[in-house]
């Protein structure tokens, strides 16, 4: 069956349908990852987006439950050059086309993804529609230009009620802006007792749980939509070690007076080199974000830039000068991607343990 991608600038790409039989709108973005398609599709940071894979073949090793980053993906669509319908892998439990169909996610294959990605790199992220017919392309494009497809999307992907991920060592509150399961896995490896809380949790609710530390998770959309979380961050960082990842990094920056901006086409994939300013160490990192912290807006008396992206100078890390609070723009949990920076979780644990030691000696 034919399927079409209609972009807000009027461009139409024709290809073949796979996955769910439905039409959908989404912000069209691309990932440079060579693999990890299942983790990307189930990453809530792609909520309300149509994801283009630059690797020419996806689906070749199937789908397995162990690699889910969320159990209910909110991605709007998947685009690739070619999809494998008969994968072979001892771990696989399903094929990618069946997985997309079961999760009501439409796919488009057989288009020139190189041409599409060049357009996105030149013009920036574009809104698009996966449609069954190109006949009404002009009016569809006009409607797409008027839509905000990611407004307040975190309220849809965040948990509605708190839930635990039990452990026996450190007590950590995870604020869910659209967290990846790989964050929970890294905390579990360090035997943390985690309570996952909704995105709109207040400082009072956090402090009443008497945690040893707080982690602000990744998530989709514009960080300025999370203004209600800023007072919580400002209060919690005074009392507890705090660590932000991706969206959590941006919320941490905004809560401390900095500003953010929408990037031209964002960072998506896991080949982004990041330099630690203090040590000069370079890590290759997994990233998925369309917004970044404006370096000119950072108050040097309040926040210190700790890491930068080598290719474009994007702010990749921040540290509070007064409190034990810090953040990174990338995903140290990877999944998919290199684990160069996974030790950042150990750094957070060290800060938490130091505070516990100081409190016990007080």
């Amino acid at each position: 069956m034919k399927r079409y991608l209609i972009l807000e600038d009027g461009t139409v790409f024709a290809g073949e349908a796979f996955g769910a039989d439905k039409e959908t709108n989404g912000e069209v973005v691309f990932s440079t990852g060579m693999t990890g398609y299942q983790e990307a599709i189930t990453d809530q940071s792609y909520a309300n987006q149509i994801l283009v894979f630059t690797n020419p073949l996806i689906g070749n090793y199937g789908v397995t439950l162990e690699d889910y980053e969320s159990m209910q993906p909110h991605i709007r669509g998947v685009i690739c050059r070619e999809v494998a319908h008969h994968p072979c892998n001892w771990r696989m439990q399903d094929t990618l086309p069946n997985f997309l169909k079961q999760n009501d996610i439409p796919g488009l294959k057989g288009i020139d993804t190189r041409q599409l990605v060049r357009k996105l790199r030149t013009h920036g992220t574009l809104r698009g529609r996966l449609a069954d017919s190109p006949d009404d392309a002009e009016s569809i494009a006009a409607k797409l230009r008027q839509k905000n497809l990611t407004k307040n999307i975190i309220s849809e992907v965040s948990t509605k009620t708190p839930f635990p991920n039990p452990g026996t060592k450190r007590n950590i509150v995870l604020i869910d802006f659209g967290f990846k399961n790989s964050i929970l896995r890294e905390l579990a490896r360090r035997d943390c007792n985690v309570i996952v809380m909704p995105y709109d949790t207040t400082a009072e609710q956090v402090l009443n749980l008497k945690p040893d530390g707080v982690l602000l998770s990744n998530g989709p959309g514009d960080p300025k939509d999370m203004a209600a979380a800023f007072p919580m961050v400002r209060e919690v960082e005074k009392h507890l070690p705090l660590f932000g990842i991706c969206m959590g990094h941006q919320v941490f920056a905004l809560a401390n007076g900095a500003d953010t901006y929408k990037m031209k086409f964002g960072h998506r994939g896991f080949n982004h080199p990041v330099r630690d300013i203090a040590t000069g160490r370079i890590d290759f990192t997994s990233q998925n974000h369309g917004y970044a912290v404006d370096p000119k807006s950072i108050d040097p008396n309040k926040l210190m830039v700790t890491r930068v992206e080598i290719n474009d100078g994007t702010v990749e890390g921040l540290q509070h000068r007064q409190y034990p609070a810090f953040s990174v723009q990338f995903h140290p949990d990877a999944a998919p991607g290199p684990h160069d920076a996974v030790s950042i979780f150990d750094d957070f644990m060290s800060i938490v343990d130091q505070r516990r030691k100081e409190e016990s000696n007080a």
Side-chain angles (χ1 to χ4, degrees):
M1 187 178 75
K2 284 286 187 181
R3 180 167 285 162
Y4 303 87
L5 170 66
I6 301 171
L7 297 175
E8 63 176 285
D9 66 354
T11 304
V12 178
F13 290 85
E16 298 178 53
F18 71 102
D21 183 14
K22 63 179 289 187
E23 297 188 322
T24 188
N25 296 332
E27 187 180 48
V28 183
V29 300
F30 65 90
S31 171
T32 58
M34 293 287 288
T35 184
Y37 52 82
Q38 182 185 341
E39 292 93 332
I41 291 168
T42 56
D43 182 352
Q44 298 290 31
S45 293
Y46 283 116
N48 281 16
Q49 294 180 328
I50 297 172
L51 177 57
V52 183
F53 287 98
T54 58
N55 193 54
L57 173 66
I58 67 168
N60 51 311
Y61 53 85
V63 170
T64 180
L65 179 63
E66 188 178 342
D67 294 335
Y68 282 38
E69 286 300 320
S70 68
M71 295 307 298
Q72 187 178 358
H74 283 73
I75 195 171
R76 288 293 184 88
V78 171
I79 297 175
C80 63
R81 177 63 182 174
E82 182 181 356
V83 63
H85 288 272
H86 302 286
C88 182
N89 176 13
W90 67 272
R91 295 175 68 244
M92 64 171 283
Q93 297 162 320
D94 203 352
T95 66
L96 179 59
N98 283 342
F99 171 78
L100 293 181
K101 189 173 184 178
Q102 291 168 6
N103 285 277
D104 203 29
I105 302 168
L108 172 66
K109 65 177 181 176
I111 72 165
D112 188 342
T113 51
R114 293 174 301 176
Q115 181 185 357
L116 175 56
V117 170
R118 281 198 295 267
K119 175 178 282 291
L120 296 176
R121 286 182 61 89
T122 302
H123 298 284
T125 299
L126 293 167
R127 302 176 186 91
R129 180 173 181 81
L130 293 179
D132 294 334
S133 169
D135 295 342
D136 205 21
E138 289 188 10
S139 63
I140 289 173
K143 292 177 181 177
L144 287 170
R145 290 192 290 270
Q146 300 170 7
K147 290 182 178 292
N148 184 341
L149 300 172
T150 58
K151 183 71 173 177
N152 294 322
I153 184 61
I154 287 177
S155 63
E156 296 181 29
V157 303
S158 177
T159 184
K160 302 300 185 290
T161 57
F163 67 90
N165 193 52
T168 60
K169 203 168 185 181
R170 308 167 184 92
N171 295 313
I172 303 297
V173 165
L174 173 60
I175 304 298
D176 177 19
F177 296 130
F179 78 92
K180 294 169 62 181
N181 287 338
S182 50
I183 293 177
L184 283 184
R185 293 188 196 107
E186 291 302 329
L187 293 173
R189 287 189 180 102
R190 291 153 180 84
D191 203 20
C192 293
N193 181 52
V194 182
I195 301 295
V196 181
M197 300 290 287
Y199 74 99
D200 55 356
T201 298
T202 65
E204 182 180 12
Q205 290 171 319
V206 172
L207 297 173
N208 284 344
L209 292 170
K210 296 179 170 51
D212 299 313
V214 175
L215 197 155
L216 309 176
S217 85
N218 62 292
D222 187 342
K224 291 178 181 176
D225 290 342
M226 290 297 100
F230 302 166
M232 179 272 291
V233 172
R234 285 193 290 266
E235 183 62 24
V236 166
E237 68 186 10
K238 298 175 184 177
H239 305 278
L240 297 167
L242 183 142
F243 173 28
I245 295 175
C246 197
M247 172 62 71
H249 162 79
Q250 296 163 8
V251 169
F252 172 65
L254 288 165
N256 283 285
D259 195 12
T260 57
Y261 64 94
K262 186 172 177 61
M263 304 172 74
K264 186 175 182 179
F265 48 80
H267 291 164
R268 297 176 178 90
F270 42 84
N271 54 358
H272 295 272
V274 171
R275 179 168 60 89
D276 185 318
I277 294 174
T279 66
R281 173 188 167 97
I282 295 174
D283 293 323
F284 279 88
T285 65
S286 175
Q287 301 202 13
N288 180 9
H289 60 102
Y291 291 80
V293 176
D294 182 356
K296 297 178 182 177
S297 70
I298 297 170
D299 182 350
N301 296 314
K302 185 176 290 187
L303 296 175
M304 174 175 63
V305 177
T306 58
R307 292 175 171 86
V308 294
E309 213 269 10
I310 291 176
N311 292 324
D312 61 8
T314 304
V315 175
E316 293 286 333
L318 291 169
Q319 182 174 320
H320 204 288
R321 291 189 179 274
Q322 184 177 356
Y323 306 122
F326 71 103
S327 63
V328 293
Q329 179 64 81
F330 52 89
H331 292 261
D333 47 294
H339 289 80
D340 292 18
V342 72
S343 62
I344 292 174
F345 283 97
D346 296 318
D347 296 339
F348 181 45
M349 296 299 103
S350 296
I351 295 171
V352 167
D353 291 344
Q354 179 63 31
R355 176 185 175 275
R356 294 173 67 183
K357 182 178 179 180
E358 291 173 353
E359 284 196 336
S360 64
N361 292 334

